[in-house]
Coordinates of all heavy atoms in Angstrom, one line a residue:
N503 N 3.7 -38.8 29.9 CA 3.6 -39.3 28.5 C 4.0 -38.4 27.4 O 4.1 -38.7 26.3 CB 2.1 -39.7 28.3 CG 1.2 -38.5 28.3 OD1 1.3 -37.7 29.2 ND2 0.3 -38.4 27.4
N504 N 4.4 -37.1 27.8 CA 5.0 -36.2 26.8 C 6.5 -36.4 26.7 O 7.2 -35.6 26.0 CB 4.7 -34.8 27.2 CG 3.2 -34.5 27.0 OD1 2.6 -35.0 26.1 ND2 2.7 -33.6 27.9
L505 N 7.1 -37.3 27.5 CA 8.5 -37.6 27.5 C 8.8 -39.0 27.1 O 7.9 -39.9 27.3 CB 9.1 -37.2 28.8 CG 8.9 -35.8 29.4 CD1 9.5 -35.7 30.8 CD2 9.5 -34.8 28.5
T506 N 10.0 -39.3 26.7 CA 10.4 -40.7 26.4 C 11.8 -40.8 26.9 O 12.7 -40.0 26.8 CB 10.4 -41.0 24.9 OG1 9.0 -41.0 24.5 CG2 11.0 -42.3 24.6
I507 N 12.1 -42.0 27.6 CA 13.4 -42.3 28.0 C 14.1 -43.2 26.9 O 13.5 -44.1 26.4 CB 13.4 -43.2 29.3 CG1 12.9 -42.3 30.5 CG2 14.8 -43.8 29.6 CD1 12.7 -43.1 31.8
I508 N 15.3 -42.8 26.6 CA 16.2 -43.6 25.8 C 17.2 -44.2 26.7 O 18.1 -43.5 27.2 CB 16.9 -42.8 24.6 CG1 15.8 -42.2 23.7 CG2 17.8 -43.7 23.8 CD1 16.4 -41.3 22.6
R509 N 17.1 -45.5 27.0 CA 18.0 -46.1 28.0 C 19.0 -46.9 27.3 O 18.8 -48.0 26.7 CB 17.2 -47.0 28.9 CG 18.0 -47.7 30.1 CD 17.1 -48.1 31.2 NE 16.5 -46.9 31.9 CZ 15.4 -46.9 32.7 NH1 14.8 -48.1 32.8 NH2 15.0 -45.8 33.2
V510 N 20.2 -46.3 27.2 CA 21.3 -46.9 26.4 C 22.0 -48.0 27.1 O 22.3 -47.9 28.3 CB 22.3 -45.7 26.0 CG1 23.5 -46.3 25.2 CG2 21.7 -44.6 25.3
N511 N 22.3 -49.0 26.4 CA 23.2 -50.1 26.9 C 24.6 -49.6 26.9 O 25.2 -49.5 25.8 CB 23.1 -51.4 26.0 CG 23.8 -52.5 26.5 OD1 24.8 -52.4 27.2 ND2 23.4 -53.7 26.2
K512 N 25.1 -49.3 28.1 CA 26.4 -48.6 28.2 C 27.6 -49.5 27.8 O 28.7 -49.0 27.7 CB 26.6 -48.0 29.6 CG 25.5 -47.0 30.0 CD 25.7 -46.4 31.3 CE 24.6 -45.5 31.7 NZ 23.3 -46.1 31.9
E513 N 27.3 -50.8 27.6 CA 28.4 -51.6 27.1 C 28.5 -51.6 25.6 O 29.5 -52.0 25.0 CB 28.2 -53.1 27.6 CG 28.2 -53.3 29.1 CD 28.0 -54.7 29.5 OE1 27.8 -55.6 28.6 OE2 28.1 -55.0 30.7
K514 N 27.5 -51.0 24.9 CA 27.5 -51.0 23.5 C 27.7 -49.6 22.9 O 28.2 -49.4 21.8 CB 26.2 -51.5 22.9 CG 26.0 -53.0 23.2 CD 24.6 -53.5 22.6 CE 24.4 -55.0 22.7 NZ 23.1 -55.4 22.1
Y515 N 27.3 -48.5 23.7 CA 27.3 -47.2 23.2 C 27.3 -46.2 24.3 O 26.9 -46.5 25.4 CB 26.0 -47.0 22.3 CG 26.1 -46.1 21.1 CD1 26.4 -46.6 19.9 CD2 26.0 -44.7 21.2 CE1 26.5 -45.9 18.7 CE2 26.1 -43.9 20.1 CZ 26.3 -44.5 18.8 OH 26.4 -43.7 17.7
S516 N 27.9 -45.0 24.1 CA 27.9 -44.0 25.1 C 26.6 -43.1 24.9 O 26.4 -42.6 23.9 CB 29.1 -43.1 25.0 OG 29.0 -41.9 25.7
P517 N 25.9 -42.9 26.0 CA 24.7 -42.0 25.9 C 25.1 -40.5 25.6 O 24.4 -39.8 25.0 CB 24.1 -42.1 27.3 CG 25.1 -42.7 28.2 CD 26.0 -43.5 27.3
Y518 N 26.4 -40.2 26.0 CA 26.8 -38.8 25.7 C 27.1 -38.6 24.2 O 26.8 -37.5 23.7 CB 28.1 -38.5 26.6 CG 27.8 -38.3 28.0 CD1 27.8 -39.4 28.9 CD2 27.4 -37.1 28.5 CE1 27.4 -39.2 30.2 CE2 27.1 -36.9 29.9 CZ 27.1 -38.0 30.7 OH 26.8 -37.8 32.0
V519 N 27.6 -39.6 23.6 CA 27.9 -39.6 22.1 C 26.5 -39.5 21.4 O 26.3 -38.8 20.5 CB 28.7 -40.8 21.7 CG1 28.7 -40.8 20.1 CG2 30.1 -40.7 22.2
L520 N 25.6 -40.4 21.9 CA 24.2 -40.4 21.3 C 23.5 -39.1 21.4 O 22.9 -38.6 20.4 CB 23.4 -41.5 21.9 CG 22.0 -41.6 21.4 CD1 21.9 -41.9 19.9 CD2 21.2 -42.7 22.2
L521 N 23.6 -38.4 22.6 CA 22.9 -37.2 22.7 C 23.6 -36.1 21.8 O 22.8 -35.3 21.2 CB 23.1 -36.7 24.2 CG 22.4 -35.3 24.5 CD1 20.9 -35.4 24.3 CD2 22.7 -34.9 26.0
K522 N 24.9 -36.1 21.7 CA 25.6 -35.2 20.8 C 25.1 -35.3 19.4 O 24.9 -34.4 18.7 CB 27.1 -35.3 20.9 CG 27.8 -34.1 20.3 CD 29.3 -34.2 20.8 CE 30.0 -32.9 20.3 NZ 29.5 -31.7 21.0
Y523 N 24.9 -36.6 19.0 CA 24.4 -36.9 17.6 C 23.0 -36.4 17.5 O 22.6 -35.7 16.5 CB 24.5 -38.4 17.4 CG 23.7 -38.8 16.2 CD1 24.1 -38.5 14.9 CD2 22.5 -39.6 16.3 CE1 23.4 -38.9 13.8 CE2 21.8 -40.0 15.2 CZ 22.2 -39.6 13.9 OH 21.5 -40.0 12.8
L524 N 22.1 -36.7 18.4 CA 20.7 -36.3 18.3 C 20.5 -34.7 18.3 O 19.6 -34.2 17.7 CB 19.9 -36.8 19.5 CG 19.7 -38.4 19.6 CD1 19.0 -38.8 20.8 CD2 19.0 -38.9 18.3
R525 N 21.5 -34.0 18.9 CA 21.4 -32.6 18.9 C 22.1 -32.0 17.6 O 22.0 -30.7 17.4 CB 22.1 -32.0 20.1 CG 21.3 -32.2 21.4 CD 22.1 -31.7 22.6 NE 21.3 -31.6 23.8 CZ 21.8 -31.3 25.0 NH1 23.1 -31.0 25.1 NH2 21.0 -31.3 26.1
S526 N 22.8 -32.8 16.9 CA 23.4 -32.3 15.6 C 22.4 -32.0 14.5 O 21.2 -32.4 14.6 CB 24.5 -33.3 15.2 OG 23.8 -34.4 14.6
D527 N 22.8 -31.3 13.5 CA 21.9 -31.0 12.4 C 21.5 -32.3 11.7 O 20.3 -32.5 11.4 CB 22.7 -30.2 11.3 CG 22.9 -28.8 11.8 OD1 22.2 -28.3 12.8 OD2 23.8 -28.1 11.2
L528 N 22.4 -33.3 11.6 CA 22.0 -34.6 11.0 C 21.0 -35.3 11.9 O 20.1 -35.9 11.5 CB 23.3 -35.4 10.8 CG 23.0 -36.8 10.1 CD1 22.3 -36.7 8.8 CD2 24.4 -37.5 10.0
G529 N 21.3 -35.3 13.2 CA 20.4 -35.9 14.2 C 19.0 -35.4 14.1 O 18.0 -36.1 14.2
R530 N 18.9 -34.1 14.0 CA 17.6 -33.4 13.9 C 16.8 -33.8 12.7 O 15.6 -34.0 12.7 CB 17.7 -31.9 14.0 CG 18.3 -31.4 15.4 CD 18.3 -29.9 15.5 NE 18.9 -29.5 16.7 CZ 18.3 -29.4 17.9 NH1 17.0 -29.7 17.9 NH2 18.9 -29.0 19.0
L531 N 17.6 -34.0 11.6 CA 16.9 -34.5 10.4 C 16.4 -35.9 10.6 O 15.3 -36.2 10.1 CB 17.9 -34.5 9.2 CG 18.3 -33.2 8.6 CD1 19.3 -33.4 7.4 CD2 17.1 -32.4 8.0
V532 N 17.2 -36.7 11.2 CA 16.7 -38.1 11.5 C 15.5 -38.1 12.4 O 14.5 -38.8 12.2 CB 17.9 -38.9 12.2 CG1 17.4 -40.3 12.6 CG2 19.0 -39.1 11.2
L533 N 15.5 -37.2 13.4 CA 14.3 -37.2 14.3 C 13.1 -36.6 13.5 O 11.9 -37.0 13.8 CB 14.6 -36.3 15.5 CG 15.6 -36.8 16.5 CD1 15.9 -35.8 17.6 CD2 14.9 -38.1 17.2
D534 N 13.3 -35.7 12.6 CA 12.2 -35.2 11.8 C 11.5 -36.3 11.0 O 10.3 -36.3 10.8 CB 12.7 -34.2 10.8 CG 12.9 -32.8 11.4 OD1 12.4 -32.6 12.6 OD2 13.6 -32.0 10.8
S535 N 12.2 -37.4 10.7 CA 11.6 -38.5 10.0 C 10.6 -39.3 10.8 O 9.8 -40.0 10.2 CB 12.7 -39.4 9.5 OG 13.3 -40.2 10.5
V536 N 10.6 -39.1 12.1 CA 9.6 -39.8 13.0 C 8.8 -38.8 13.7 O 8.2 -39.1 14.7 CB 10.3 -40.8 14.0 CG1 10.9 -41.9 13.2 CG2 11.3 -40.1 14.8
T537 N 8.7 -37.6 13.1 CA 7.9 -36.5 13.8 C 6.7 -36.1 12.9 O 6.9 -36.0 11.7 CB 8.8 -35.3 14.0 OG1 9.9 -35.6 14.8 CG2 8.1 -34.1 14.6
T538 N 5.6 -35.9 13.5 CA 4.4 -35.5 12.8 C 3.9 -34.2 13.4 O 4.4 -33.8 14.5 CB 3.3 -36.5 12.9 OG1 3.0 -36.8 14.2 CG2 3.7 -37.8 12.2
G539 N 3.0 -33.5 12.8 CA 2.5 -32.3 13.3 C 3.2 -31.1 12.8 O 4.4 -31.2 12.4
A540 N 2.6 -29.9 12.9 CA 3.2 -28.7 12.5 C 3.5 -27.7 13.6 O 4.6 -27.5 14.1 CB 2.4 -28.0 11.4

Side-chain angles (χ1 to χ4, degrees):
N503 64 314
N504 291 327
L505 305 175
T506 292
I507 291 172
I508 302 176
R509 185 158 292 159
V510 179
N511 183 333
K512 298 181 184 68
E513 294 182 358
K514 295 183 177 181
Y515 215 92
S516 166
Y518 288 90
V519 170
L520 178 59
L521 180 62
K522 195 165 188 66
Y523 166 70
L524 293 176
R525 286 176 169 176
S526 70
D527 290 342
L528 181 58
R530 292 183 185 279
L531 284 180
V532 171
L533 288 174
D534 281 344
S535 70
V536 292
T537 301
T538 58

